[in-house]
Amino acid sequence: MGKRKGGNKGPASPNQKATSDVSMDDAATQTSAAVVEEDKAESSNLEEPSEVMPLIGGDQTSADYYFDSYSHFGIHEEMLKDTVRTKTYQNVIYQNSFLFKNKVVLDVGAGTGILSLFCAKAGAKHVYAVECSLMADMAKEIVEANGFSNVITVLKGKVEEIALPVAHVDIIISEWMGYFLLFENMLNTVLYARDKWLLKDGIVLPDKASLYLTAIEDAEYKDDKIEFWNSVYGFDMSCIKKQAMVEPLVDTVDQNQIVTNCQLLKTMDISKMTPGDASFTAPFKLVAERNDYIHALVAYFDVSFTKCHKLMGFSTGPRSKATHWKQTVLYLEDVLTICEGEALVGSMTVEPNKKNPRDVEIMLKYTLNGRHCQVSRTQHYKMR
């Protein structure tokens, strides 16, 4: 999986591989309504993560990359400074304290313990904060430093291996989402905890997550990132180009690049779903809102807390305030010339990698039968 620094991309170039006599309609696309609770906090406008500094013990290895990566300060700093993420959770908890008052809460993947602290401050009877990385040691100090040692118990270890001091909990809260919603996520861990400890009428927060797809014009960056390998200082390195196409990019997409409507692919109900539901095939129909080129499809997700007094949540889409999840860009082998009203149709299949379930395999099938472009293709991607 690749990353790039965000930035505005220029319009489609007239001398790309696909040319057309279609006039480019630059009318602004209609802004979609965000499901994000209004926030007075200052915008974070995140850049690439700062240099990762090791936590305690410089002898950390990559034997278990996922948990080791969460033993560093940098990744937690980035998440905490993501005000869309953190303030939404804070608002959900503080503005719905009736859900937490005198309740037992399980915080899955607690990190620094920030969600546990919010819950304790909102009146929770007790909070069990489970964290597998070395950050658990810091979380214990943070809890003690803020005077919540009698309310929050930090448990170091994997949810699947620890023993809770209680038989049941009233609420499970977690920030389990990964890039593309499902890459390096903790969803299966949350579902395991739900099935083992959550009371029958208990609550999972958040309880809904939806994955969306749209199409963008991205000539400038595709040329820089993909076509670059065709001639490197005069040498043919196009074999690397094939690998570059397979790895989706995580980046902030300018909303002005969007060419089509946004299509809902999948909604997951965390309170009811099974682990197998995270593998799916979903059809899509992306209708062009202007005449333009399509270089890539873009995936993003929304998260909802439906058990609140009023619906709360946030979006990671390109028309919403930026988050550290950004968006996921899947470049197409073809440069598609599309006219307003024409439709790019197809399906997306998503499933975990068989060897490493935290990685994601994506299969994209798409067809365009337009006035200036006819194409039908299947592409495979790997987020790893």
Side-chain angles (χ1 to χ4, degrees):
M1 182 189 68
K3 292 186 182 181
R4 62 177 176 177
K5 290 186 178 180
N8 295 341
K9 271 63 79 173
S13 170
N15 57 2
Q16 342 175 326
K17 290 190 295 183
T19 60
S20 171
D21 57 357
V22 184
S23 61
M24 297 296 110
D25 180 6
D26 294 327
T29 54
Q30 184 178 10
T31 303
S32 61
V35 197
V36 182
E37 187 73 1
E38 286 298 320
D39 177 16
K40 296 181 181 179
E42 183 180 354
S43 171
S44 57
N45 293 328
L46 297 176
E47 296 293 336
E48 286 291 300
S50 54
E51 182 181 357
V52 177
M53 298 298 292
L55 221 185
I56 306 171
D59 297 332
Q60 281 288 293
T61 70
S62 58
D64 189 342
Y65 170 79
Y66 178 75
F67 291 112
D68 282 356
S69 67
Y70 283 88
S71 295
H72 300 277
F73 294 114
I75 193 168
H76 294 279
E77 177 184 357
E78 181 186 28
M79 291 188 293
L80 290 170
K81 287 182 176 179
D82 182 343
T83 56
V84 172
R85 164 199 181 267
T86 310
K87 288 292 292 185
T88 298
Y89 275 90
Q90 185 184 50
N91 289 337
V92 164
I93 296 167
Y94 286 0
Q95 295 176 21
N96 297 274
S97 57
F98 67 94
L99 293 175
F100 296 87
K101 188 71 173 177
N102 296 320
K103 296 296 176 63
V104 178
V105 180
L106 174 60
D107 181 358
V108 176
T112 60
I114 187 65
L115 301 187
S116 295
L117 293 167
F118 290 158
C119 293
K121 193 171 181 179
K125 180 180 179 181
H126 205 89
V127 183
Y128 295 98
V130 182
E131 174 58 39
C132 189
S133 77
L134 290 177
M135 186 55 72
D137 299 324
M138 292 288 97
K140 290 179 182 179
E141 290 190 33
I142 291 168
V143 167
E144 183 177 350
N146 287 275
F148 286 106
S149 297
N150 60 327
V151 180
I152 301 174
T153 299
V154 178
L155 301 172
K156 186 177 181 180
K158 294 183 179 180
V159 167
E160 296 83 354
E161 298 174 358
I162 60 132
L164 279 186
V166 293
H168 301 287
V169 298
D170 301 290
I171 297 172
I172 291 176
I173 193 165
S174 180
E175 192 274 85
W176 56 267
M177 302 79 69
Y179 297 124
F180 187 69
L181 183 62
L182 296 171
F183 176 65
E184 287 195 343
N185 71 86
M186 295 191 301
L187 177 57
N188 285 352
T189 299
V190 172
L191 300 182
Y192 176 91
R194 178 201 67 187
D195 294 342
K196 185 170 184 178
W197 290 300
L198 189 64
L199 288 170
K200 186 176 181 180
D201 58 347
I203 297 173
V204 180
L205 296 172
D207 59 321
K208 295 286 177 65
S210 299
L211 187 66
Y212 292 85
L213 191 69
T214 190
I216 63 167
E217 178 282 318
D218 201 17
E220 182 179 341
Y221 197 81
K222 185 183 180 186
D223 186 66
D224 180 63
K225 176 66 179 179
I226 306 297
E227 305 305 332
F228 162 79
W229 297 106
N230 288 331
S231 179
V232 182
Y233 296 99
F235 297 98
D236 182 349
M237 297 189 181
S238 56
C239 58
I240 297 179
K241 173 181 173 180
K242 298 175 183 178
Q243 292 299 314
M245 288 291 295
V246 169
E247 294 190 10
L249 291 173
V250 173
D251 188 24
T252 300
V253 172
D254 189 323
Q255 64 175 320
N256 293 323
Q257 294 177 259
I258 299 174
V259 178
T260 69
N261 63 304
C262 299
Q263 169 85 52
L264 173 65
L265 290 177
K266 176 77 171 180
T267 295
M268 294 184 291
D269 186 338
I270 316 305
S271 62
K272 300 177 181 178
M273 70 178 291
T274 65
D277 294 336
S279 299
F280 62 89
T281 298
F284 63 82
K285 181 179 181 180
L286 302 177
V287 180
E289 297 177 341
R290 65 174 186 258
N291 301 332
D292 211 332
Y293 301 117
I294 292 176
H295 299 88
L297 299 190
V298 173
Y300 64 92
F301 64 90
D302 292 357
V303 166
S304 300
F305 300 78
T306 70
K307 305 300 181 182
C308 300
H309 179 66
K310 60 180 180 179
L311 182 65
M312 301 179 74
F314 60 84
S315 174
T316 65
R319 291 189 174 108
S320 300
K321 184 177 175 182
T323 71
H324 78 281
W325 287 286
K326 303 179 183 179
Q327 292 89 43
T328 302
V329 182
L330 301 95
Y331 283 110
L332 305 181
E333 291 185 20
D334 309 282
V335 177
L336 310 181
T337 304
I338 195 166
C339 300
E340 183 178 356
E342 293 179 349
L344 178 65
V345 298
S347 65
M348 177 178 282
T349 299
V350 178
E351 60 184 8
N353 179 276
K354 291 180 174 58
K355 292 183 178 180
N356 183 358
R358 294 190 185 278
D359 292 352
V360 178
E361 307 276 350
I362 303 168
M363 180 174 69
L364 184 67
K365 295 182 178 181
Y366 60 90
T367 299
L368 174 62
N369 290 312
R371 283 175 284 170
H372 301 274
C373 185
Q374 297 82 41
V375 65
S376 183
R377 190 182 292 276
T378 298
Q379 287 186 232
H380 298 266
Y381 303 87
K382 295 182 179 181
M383 298 191 73
R384 54 193 176 186

